[in-house]
Amino acid sequence: MMVLGKKDASMLAVWISLISNVLLTVMKLLVGLLFNSPVLLADGVHNAGDVIATIAALSSMRISKQPADEDHPYGHGKAEVLASGIVAVIMGLAAVYIGFEAVSAFFEEPSQASIIALIAAVLSLIWKQALYVYTIRIGKQTNSKGLIATAYDHLADVYASLAAVVGIGLAYIGEAYHIPYLSYGDPAAGIIVSILVLKLAIEMSLETVGILMDKTVSIEKLNEYAALIQTISQVKRIDRLRAREHGHYILVDVRVSIPGELSIQEGHDISRKIKGAIIDSHNDVDEVLIHLNPWYPAESR
């Protein structure tokens, strides 16, 4: 059985997402137009945006995997962060569009519920839930911001499809049992979808801005790095410890004090031990920048 590497697994996941989004877009738009379902039509337009978002994620993942060069000495990892921001913007625009279409539908005659539209919504719900579970698992395994953004985009579609199932189902029941108010279940579901998608878009945007502004990693991670550094016997004190995400990997910056009488070679060996201890325990760390300060016994008094 062939085992895919992390890079291959993430690229396969995003290609599956792209093909799925294209097929779902065609299905939803056709069924939405033919059977006049506002929530399914709006969800189809959202899926069309997903196609663009997935292409952005695919392109960014290709760029982010390129090695560091003279112009980008820290690598190209933030390309995925930019793609995550693009996905968030597309999701935000989709949320506004879905909400507008849903509100507009309240001022029109309710459309006739269709069992075909309901089946399409159910298929989309199952398909998107499977895609979300698959892509979020691969995204977290590979720490790919682009793939994680794609997974959250799938989650937004799960919300949309679930609301479409409920909305179309209520409208269908309303027609069958002559309950007029249930006929507006479709657009009501659209409003709920728009709120959920907008919430996801805002959360993704805040995370993207945080990474681009070099926000520090969690205090838990910093404590883990500190504990590893302190296992090196020659380290007398941690003077400063910082770390930031750079796309799918983390850069660590540490200043430590070691005995001042040690030679340059000994200091170099200690630096290698520190770097090895962190990278061996955290495969998402790509680089550890170490500055050594001299320490003398008098400082501990």
Side-chain angles (χ1 to χ4, degrees):
M1 179 178 177
M2 184 178 65
V3 178
L4 295 176
K6 287 185 176 181
K7 179 180 176 181
D8 294 331
S10 59
M11 293 302 291
L12 176 62
V14 80
W15 270 110
I16 290 174
S17 296
L18 177 59
I19 295 169
S20 296
N21 280 331
V22 170
L23 294 175
L24 285 171
T25 298
V26 173
M27 179 185 74
K28 290 178 183 178
L29 290 178
L30 282 176
V31 175
L33 286 170
L34 290 173
F35 298 94
N36 197 24
S37 171
V39 70
L40 200 60
L41 189 58
D43 195 19
V45 173
H46 176 203
N47 259 126
D50 292 342
V51 173
I52 300 172
T54 310
I55 291 173
L58 178 62
S59 302
S60 72
M61 287 168 64
R62 287 182 177 277
I63 295 171
S64 70
K65 298 296 188 282
Q66 294 179 6
D69 54 35
E70 188 174 341
D71 293 327
H72 305 89
Y74 295 102
H76 301 78
K78 284 190 176 178
E80 287 197 38
V81 183
L82 291 173
S84 179
I86 292 172
V87 173
V89 170
I90 291 174
M91 286 174 61
L93 293 174
V96 173
Y97 173 80
I98 293 171
F100 176 79
E101 289 295 317
V103 171
S104 299
F106 277 103
F107 299 94
E108 302 171 357
E109 280 293 318
S111 57
Q112 185 176 4
S114 165
I115 190 64
I116 302 298
L118 181 60
I119 292 172
V122 170
L123 287 175
S124 174
L125 173 62
I126 296 171
W127 198 339
K128 278 293 184 175
Q129 177 62 27
L131 282 173
Y132 168 69
V133 172
Y134 171 59
T135 52
I136 196 68
R137 178 173 59 84
I138 301 298
K140 288 183 176 180
Q141 285 178 356
T142 59
N143 197 30
S144 169
K145 298 300 177 185
L147 191 54
I148 290 173
T150 300
Y152 283 125
D153 198 21
H154 291 324
L155 181 59
D157 290 333
V158 170
Y159 293 154
S161 297
L162 179 60
V165 169
V166 174
I168 298 171
L170 287 174
Y172 198 77
I173 293 171
E175 281 190 10
Y177 294 95
H178 307 291
I179 306 174
Y181 294 113
L182 291 185
S183 298
Y184 288 97
D186 194 322
I191 293 176
I192 296 172
V193 169
S194 66
I195 295 171
L196 293 174
V197 174
L198 186 60
K199 180 177 179 291
L200 268 179
I202 292 172
E203 290 173 352
M204 286 176 59
S205 298
L206 292 175
E207 182 182 3
T208 297
V209 170
I211 295 174
L212 291 176
M213 294 293 290
D214 288 332
K215 179 182 177 182
T216 185
V217 299
S218 68
I219 189 66
E220 290 79 14
K221 275 190 175 291
L222 289 175
N223 288 337
E224 289 174 10
Y225 302 152
L228 290 167
I229 294 169
Q230 289 168 342
T231 62
I232 311 300
S233 60
Q234 297 94 332
V235 173
K236 299 300 182 181
R237 184 176 63 228
I238 298 177
D239 299 313
R240 187 177 71 186
L241 177 59
R242 301 184 298 185
R244 56 194 170 92
E245 290 192 58
H246 198 82
H248 59 279
Y249 51 86
I250 293 174
L251 302 177
V252 179
D253 179 7
V254 59
R255 289 187 180 186
V256 297
S257 291
I258 63 173
E261 68 273 8
L262 296 179
S263 67
I264 293 175
Q265 180 62 55
E266 289 172 317
H268 173 72
D269 293 340
I270 292 169
S271 294
R272 293 187 64 180
K273 287 181 181 178
I274 294 172
K275 182 175 181 178
I278 294 175
I279 290 180
D280 289 345
S281 299
H282 296 271
N283 56 16
D284 56 348
V285 175
D286 184 72
E287 183 62 85
V288 182
L289 306 175
I290 303 167
H291 178 86
L292 301 177
N293 291 324
W295 177 89
Y296 299 97
E299 295 182 21
S300 60
R301 295 173 187 171

